[in-house]
Amino acid sequence: MENTKKVITSIGKYYYPTKGGIEKVTKDIAEVLAKDGYVSKVISFDGKKHKSGIINNVDIIRFKELKIGPAPISIKFLKIFNNLCKDSDVLIFHYPNPIAEYALLKYKGNAKIIIFYHSDLIGYNGLITKIYNKMTDKVLNKADVIIGTSPNYVKSSKNLKKYEDKTKILPLCVNHGEFETDKLYDFKNFNFKNKILFVGRFVKYKGINYLIDSLKYLDKSYGLIIVGSGKLKNKIKEQIKENDLKERVLMLENLSNGELKSVYNSSDVFVLPSILKSEAYGIVSLEAMANKLPIITTELGTGTSFYNVDGFNGKVIEPKSSKAIAEAVKICIKNKNEYGINGYQKVRQEFSLDVFNRTILEILKEL
């Protein structure tokens, strides 16, 4: 597909300046399309917080949503979707987003359809999942191209198995230059020889409790830095207190980008101890790799064991095992320089923004 004045509309739950993994991907795609000469539009459902308008040559249409669970709902969107997209040559749907997928099934236009499949629907009861998966099958059948973020996820997803022939892999990325720094973070009195780092939201599927518990199996030269916030913050504090680990765990939040970079640069190993497939990728691990940190991730059948090659740039371990985390930490500290350099080179060669941009443009031109 030639890009001259072709209109490409991306549909996602939310869009910049709303923060999040899917929001970042939507923004990266929309902006590279605009730079390459396409007419790039975005439809999102964060109109209560942000206004419609143009950002970096991307035309953003925001709807005010009702919230039912994690899913945005907009009756107005459903009523005008077909008319809104009548001039679009390509529609990119960021899945999962139930209202957008329902609109796609009612879509009457001739645009090419791309489904960017970020993850399965996880965390709902069996009936809801069963109904949603039936709709998903119809949505995927209607797609011209499906994009998965790792071959691991494509193979492990029941929804994607029958559509492997039209699924292409587009690995998520980081702009590695944004994370390189020589600055060190001032931890004040937190002076441990071996610093373990976690960055992320405080939610159940991240498995932070197993990471904290791993300190029981490590001597007192190891300290843990936890960066983030979320609804489990008080539970995490209670666990630290109950296990008498207040001196060995440092909790940080609301860091600036510069401060976060210096925390990465001041740490020795990064751990993403996720326990559920809700962790479809984990871009924070790529950020750690960009800072030459060895990484530890869990085997979930997702992207966490795609960018992390066991024994090369880190360790891949079983989930829900504090002992496994502790053993992996020791190995990564021992091989810090080798794993760190390997990961740094890997993220530059395979998971950079340049690679991401080039791949999405190639997918579009093949439509």
Coordinates of all heavy atoms in Angstrom, one line a residue, residues 179-188 190-199 221-227 250 252 255 257-270 287-294 333 336:
F179 N 17.3 6.1 27.7 CA 17.5 5.5 29.0 C 19.0 5.5 29.4 O 19.4 5.0 30.5 CB 16.9 4.1 29.1 CG 15.4 4.2 29.1 CD1 14.7 4.1 27.9 CD2 14.7 4.3 30.3 CE1 13.3 4.1 28.0 CE2 13.4 4.4 30.3 CZ 12.6 4.3 29.2
E180 N 19.8 5.9 28.5 CA 21.3 5.9 28.7 C 21.7 7.1 29.6 O 21.3 8.2 29.2 CB 22.0 5.8 27.4 CG 21.8 4.5 26.7 CD 22.5 4.5 25.3 OE1 23.3 5.4 25.1 OE2 22.2 3.7 24.5
T181 N 22.4 6.9 30.7 CA 22.8 8.0 31.5 C 24.1 7.5 32.3 O 24.3 6.4 32.6 CB 21.7 8.4 32.5 OG1 22.2 9.5 33.3 CG2 21.3 7.3 33.4
D182 N 24.9 8.5 32.7 CA 26.0 8.2 33.6 C 25.7 8.6 35.0 O 26.5 8.4 35.9 CB 27.2 9.0 33.1 CG 27.7 8.6 31.7 OD1 27.6 7.4 31.4 OD2 28.2 9.4 30.9
K183 N 24.6 9.2 35.2 CA 24.2 9.7 36.6 C 23.8 8.6 37.5 O 23.2 7.6 37.1 CB 23.1 10.7 36.5 CG 23.5 12.0 35.8 CD 22.4 13.0 35.8 CE 22.8 14.3 35.1 NZ 21.7 15.3 35.1
L184 N 24.2 8.7 38.8 CA 23.8 7.7 39.8 C 22.8 8.3 40.7 O 22.8 9.5 40.9 CB 25.1 7.3 40.6 CG 26.2 6.6 39.8 CD1 27.4 6.4 40.8 CD2 25.7 5.3 39.3
Y185 N 21.9 7.5 41.2 CA 20.8 8.0 42.1 C 21.4 8.0 43.5 O 22.1 7.1 44.0 CB 19.6 7.0 42.0 CG 18.4 7.5 42.8 CD1 17.6 8.4 42.2 CD2 18.1 7.1 44.0 CE1 16.4 8.9 42.8 CE2 17.0 7.6 44.7 CZ 16.2 8.5 44.1 OH 15.1 9.0 44.7
D186 N 21.0 9.0 44.2 CA 21.4 9.2 45.6 C 20.4 8.4 46.5 O 19.3 8.9 46.9 CB 21.4 10.7 46.0 CG 21.9 10.9 47.5 OD1 22.3 9.9 48.1 OD2 21.8 12.0 47.9
F187 N 20.8 7.2 46.9 CA 20.0 6.4 47.8 C 20.2 6.7 49.2 O 19.6 6.0 50.1 CB 20.4 4.9 47.6 CG 20.0 4.3 46.2 CD1 20.9 3.9 45.3 CD2 18.6 4.2 45.8 CE1 20.6 3.4 44.1 CE2 18.3 3.7 44.6 CZ 19.3 3.3 43.7
K188 N 21.0 7.7 49.5 CA 21.2 8.2 50.9 C 21.8 7.0 51.7 O 22.9 6.6 51.5 CB 20.0 8.8 51.5 CG 19.4 10.0 50.7 CD 18.4 10.7 51.4 CE 17.8 11.8 50.6 NZ 18.8 12.8 50.1
F190 N 20.9 3.9 51.9 CA 20.6 2.6 51.3 C 21.8 2.1 50.6 O 21.9 2.1 49.3 CB 19.3 2.6 50.4 CG 18.8 1.3 50.1 CD1 18.0 0.6 51.0 CD2 19.0 0.7 48.8 CE1 17.4 -0.6 50.7 CE2 18.4 -0.5 48.5 CZ 17.6 -1.2 49.4
N191 N 22.8 1.6 51.3 CA 24.1 1.3 50.7 C 24.4 -0.2 50.6 O 25.4 -0.7 51.3 CB 25.2 2.0 51.5 CG 25.1 3.5 51.5 OD1 24.8 4.1 50.4 ND2 25.2 4.2 52.7
F192 N 23.6 -0.9 49.9 CA 23.9 -2.3 49.7 C 24.8 -2.6 48.5 O 24.7 -1.9 47.5 CB 22.5 -3.0 49.5 CG 21.7 -3.1 50.8 CD1 20.8 -2.1 51.1 CD2 21.8 -4.2 51.6 CE1 20.1 -2.1 52.3 CE2 21.0 -4.2 52.8 CZ 20.2 -3.2 53.1
K193 N 25.6 -3.6 48.7 CA 26.6 -4.0 47.6 C 25.8 -4.4 46.4 O 26.2 -4.1 45.3 CB 27.5 -5.1 48.1 CG 28.5 -5.5 47.1 CD 29.4 -6.7 47.6 CE 30.3 -7.1 46.6 NZ 31.2 -8.3 47.0
N194 N 24.8 -5.2 46.6 CA 24.0 -5.8 45.5 C 22.6 -5.2 45.5 O 21.8 -5.6 46.4 CB 24.0 -7.3 45.6 CG 25.4 -7.9 45.6 OD1 26.2 -7.6 44.7 ND2 25.7 -8.6 46.6
K195 N 22.3 -4.4 44.5 CA 20.9 -3.8 44.5 C 20.0 -4.4 43.4 O 20.3 -4.5 42.3 CB 21.1 -2.3 44.2 CG 21.8 -1.5 45.2 CD 21.9 0.0 44.9 CE 22.7 0.7 45.9 NZ 24.1 0.4 45.9
I196 N 18.9 -5.0 43.9 CA 17.9 -5.6 43.1 C 16.8 -4.6 42.8 O 16.4 -3.9 43.7 CB 17.3 -6.8 43.8 CG1 18.4 -7.8 44.3 CG2 16.3 -7.5 42.9 CD1 17.9 -8.8 45.3
L197 N 16.4 -4.5 41.5 CA 15.4 -3.5 41.1 C 14.1 -4.1 40.6 O 14.2 -5.0 39.8 CB 16.0 -2.5 40.1 CG 15.1 -1.4 39.5 CD1 14.7 -0.5 40.6 CD2 15.9 -0.7 38.4
F198 N 13.0 -3.5 41.0 CA 11.7 -3.8 40.4 C 11.1 -2.4 40.0 O 11.1 -1.5 40.8 CB 10.8 -4.5 41.3 CG 9.3 -4.5 40.8 CD1 8.9 -5.5 40.0 CD2 8.4 -3.5 41.2 CE1 7.6 -5.5 39.5 CE2 7.1 -3.5 40.8 CZ 6.7 -4.5 39.9
V199 N 10.5 -2.3 38.8 CA 9.8 -1.1 38.4 C 8.4 -1.6 37.8 O 8.4 -2.5 37.0 CB 10.5 -0.4 37.3 CG1 9.7 0.8 36.8 CG2 11.9 0.1 37.8
S221 N 23.9 -8.6 52.0 CA 24.6 -7.7 51.1 C 23.6 -7.3 50.0 O 23.9 -6.4 49.1 CB 25.8 -8.3 50.5 OG 25.5 -9.4 49.6
Y222 N 22.4 -7.9 50.0 CA 21.4 -7.7 48.9 C 20.3 -6.8 49.5 O 19.7 -7.0 50.5 CB 20.8 -9.0 48.4 CG 21.8 -9.9 47.7 CD1 22.6 -10.8 48.4 CD2 21.8 -9.9 46.3 CE1 23.5 -11.6 47.7 CE2 22.7 -10.7 45.6 CZ 23.5 -11.6 46.4 OH 24.4 -12.4 45.7
G223 N 20.0 -5.7 48.7 CA 18.9 -4.8 49.0 C 18.0 -4.7 47.8 O 18.4 -4.9 46.7
L224 N 16.7 -4.5 48.1 CA 15.7 -4.4 47.1 C 15.1 -3.0 46.9 O 14.7 -2.4 47.9 CB 14.5 -5.4 47.4 CG 13.3 -5.4 46.5 CD1 13.6 -5.7 45.1 CD2 12.2 -6.4 47.1
I225 N 15.1 -2.5 45.7 CA 14.5 -1.2 45.4 C 13.2 -1.5 44.6 O 13.2 -2.1 43.6 CB 15.4 -0.4 44.5 CG1 16.7 -0.2 45.3 CG2 14.8 1.0 44.2 CD1 17.9 0.0 44.3
I226 N 12.1 -1.0 45.1 CA 10.8 -1.1 44.4 C 10.3 0.2 44.0 O 10.0 1.1 44.8 CB 9.7 -1.8 45.4 CG1 10.2 -3.1 45.9 CG2 8.4 -1.9 44.7 CD1 9.3 -3.8 46.9
V227 N 10.1 0.4 42.7 CA 9.7 1.7 42.1 C 8.3 1.5 41.5 O 8.1 0.7 40.7 CB 10.7 2.2 41.0 CG1 10.2 3.5 40.4 CG2 12.1 2.3 41.5
L250 N 13.7 -0.5 49.8 CA 13.5 0.9 49.6 C 12.4 1.1 48.6 O 12.5 0.6 47.4 CB 14.8 1.6 49.1 CG 14.7 3.0 48.7 CD1 14.4 3.9 49.9 CD2 16.0 3.5 48.0
L252 N 10.2 3.6 46.2 CA 10.2 4.9 45.6 C 9.0 5.1 44.6 O 8.6 4.1 44.0 CB 11.5 5.1 44.7 CG 12.9 4.9 45.5 CD1 14.0 4.9 44.5 CD2 13.1 6.1 46.4
L255 N 8.9 9.2 40.5 CA 10.2 9.6 40.0 C 10.0 10.3 38.7 O 9.2 10.0 37.8 CB 11.1 8.4 39.9 CG 11.4 7.6 41.1 CD1 12.4 6.5 40.8 CD2 12.0 8.5 42.2
N257 N 11.6 11.2 34.9 CA 12.3 10.3 33.9 C 13.8 10.3 34.2 O 14.4 9.2 34.1 CB 12.0 10.8 32.5 CG 10.6 10.5 32.0 OD1 10.0 9.6 32.6 ND2 10.2 11.2 31.0
G258 N 14.4 11.4 34.5 CA 15.8 11.5 34.8 C 16.1 10.7 36.1 O 17.2 10.0 36.1
E259 N 15.3 10.8 37.1 CA 15.5 10.0 38.3 C 15.4 8.5 38.1 O 16.2 7.7 38.6 CB 14.6 10.4 39.4 CG 14.8 11.8 40.0 CD 13.7 12.3 40.9 OE1 12.5 11.9 40.7 OE2 14.0 13.1 41.8
L260 N 14.4 8.1 37.3 CA 14.3 6.7 37.0 C 15.5 6.1 36.2 O 16.0 5.1 36.5 CB 13.0 6.5 36.2 CG 12.7 5.0 35.8 CD1 12.6 4.1 37.0 CD2 11.4 4.9 35.0
K261 N 16.0 6.9 35.3 CA 17.2 6.5 34.5 C 18.3 6.3 35.5 O 19.1 5.3 35.3 CB 17.5 7.5 33.5 CG 16.6 7.5 32.3 CD 17.2 8.3 31.1 CE 17.2 9.8 31.4 NZ 17.6 10.6 30.2
S262 N 18.5 7.2 36.4 CA 19.6 7.1 37.3 C 19.5 5.9 38.3 O 20.4 5.3 38.7 CB 19.8 8.4 38.1 OG 18.7 8.7 39.0
V263 N 18.2 5.5 38.6 CA 18.0 4.4 39.5 C 18.4 3.1 38.7 O 19.0 2.2 39.3 CB 16.5 4.3 39.9 CG1 16.2 2.9 40.5 CG2 16.2 5.4 40.9
Y264 N 17.9 3.0 37.4 CA 18.4 1.9 36.6 C 19.9 1.8 36.6 O 20.5 0.7 36.8 CB 17.9 2.1 35.2 CG 16.5 1.6 34.9 CD1 15.6 2.5 34.3 CD2 16.1 0.3 35.0 CE1 14.3 2.1 34.0 CE2 14.8 -0.1 34.7 CZ 13.9 0.8 34.2 OH 12.6 0.4 33.9
N265 N 20.5 2.9 36.4 CA 22.0 3.0 36.2 C 22.7 2.6 37.5 O 23.9 2.3 37.5 CB 22.4 4.4 35.7 CG 23.9 4.4 35.4 OD1 24.4 3.5 34.6 ND2 24.6 5.4 35.8
S266 N 22.0 2.8 38.7 CA 22.6 2.5 40.0 C 22.3 1.2 40.5 O 22.7 0.8 41.6 CB 22.1 3.6 41.0 OG 22.4 4.9 40.5
S267 N 21.6 0.4 39.8 CA 21.2 -1.0 40.3 C 22.1 -2.1 39.6 O 22.8 -1.8 38.7 CB 19.7 -1.2 39.9 OG 18.9 -0.2 40.5
D268 N 21.9 -3.3 40.1 CA 22.8 -4.4 39.6 C 22.0 -5.5 38.9 O 22.6 -6.1 38.0 CB 23.5 -5.0 40.8 CG 24.4 -4.0 41.6 OD1 25.4 -3.6 41.0 OD2 24.1 -3.6 42.7
V269 N 20.7 -5.6 39.2 CA 20.0 -6.6 38.5 C 18.5 -6.2 38.5 O 18.0 -5.6 39.5 CB 20.1 -8.0 39.1 CG1 19.7 -8.0 40.6 CG2 19.4 -9.1 38.3
F270 N 17.8 -6.5 37.4 CA 16.3 -6.1 37.3 C 15.5 -7.4 37.4 O 15.8 -8.4 36.7 CB 16.1 -5.4 36.0 CG 14.6 -5.0 35.9 CD1 14.1 -3.9 36.5 CD2 13.8 -5.9 35.1 CE1 12.7 -3.6 36.3 CE2 12.4 -5.6 35.0 CZ 11.9 -4.4 35.6
E287 N 13.7 -1.5 29.2 CA 14.4 -0.3 29.7 C 15.6 -0.7 30.5 O 16.6 0.0 30.5 CB 13.4 0.5 30.6 CG 12.2 1.0 29.8 CD 11.1 1.7 30.7 OE1 11.4 1.7 32.0 OE2 10.1 2.1 30.2
A288 N 15.5 -1.8 31.3 CA 16.6 -2.2 32.1 C 17.7 -2.7 31.2 O 18.9 -2.4 31.5 CB 16.1 -3.4 33.0
M289 N 17.4 -3.4 30.1 CA 18.4 -3.9 29.2 C 19.1 -2.7 28.6 O 20.3 -2.8 28.3 CB 17.7 -4.8 28.1 CG 17.3 -6.1 28.6 SD 16.1 -6.9 27.5 CE 17.1 -7.2 26.0
A290 N 18.4 -1.6 28.3 CA 19.0 -0.4 27.7 C 20.0 0.2 28.6 O 20.8 1.0 28.2 CB 17.9 0.6 27.3
N291 N 19.9 -0.2 29.9 CA 20.8 0.3 30.9 C 21.9 -0.7 31.3 O 22.5 -0.6 32.4 CB 20.1 0.8 32.2 CG 19.5 2.2 32.0 OD1 20.1 3.2 32.3 ND2 18.2 2.3 31.6
K292 N 22.0 -1.7 30.5 CA 23.0 -2.8 30.7 C 22.8 -3.6 32.0 O 23.8 -4.0 32.6 CB 24.4 -2.2 30.6 CG 24.7 -1.5 29.3 CD 26.1 -0.9 29.3 CE 26.4 -0.1 28.0 NZ 27.7 0.6 28.0
L293 N 21.6 -3.7 32.4 CA 21.3 -4.6 33.5 C 20.9 -6.0 33.1 O 20.1 -6.2 32.2 CB 20.1 -4.0 34.3 CG 20.3 -2.8 35.2 CD1 19.0 -2.4 35.9 CD2 21.4 -3.0 36.2
P294 N 21.4 -7.0 33.8 CA 20.9 -8.3 33.6 C 19.5 -8.4 34.1 O 19.1 -7.7 35.0 CB 21.8 -9.2 34.4 CG 22.4 -8.3 35.4 CD 22.5 -7.0 34.8
I333 N 24.1 -11.5 39.2 CA 25.1 -10.6 39.8 C 26.5 -11.1 39.4 O 27.4 -10.4 39.1 CB 25.0 -10.6 41.3 CG1 23.7 -9.9 41.8 CG2 26.2 -9.9 42.0 CD1 23.6 -8.4 41.5
K336 N 27.1 -10.2 35.8 CA 26.5 -8.9 35.5 C 27.0 -8.3 34.2 O 26.2 -7.8 33.4 CB 26.7 -8.0 36.7 CG 26.1 -6.6 36.5 CD 26.4 -5.6 37.6 CE 25.9 -4.2 37.3 NZ 26.3 -3.2 38.4

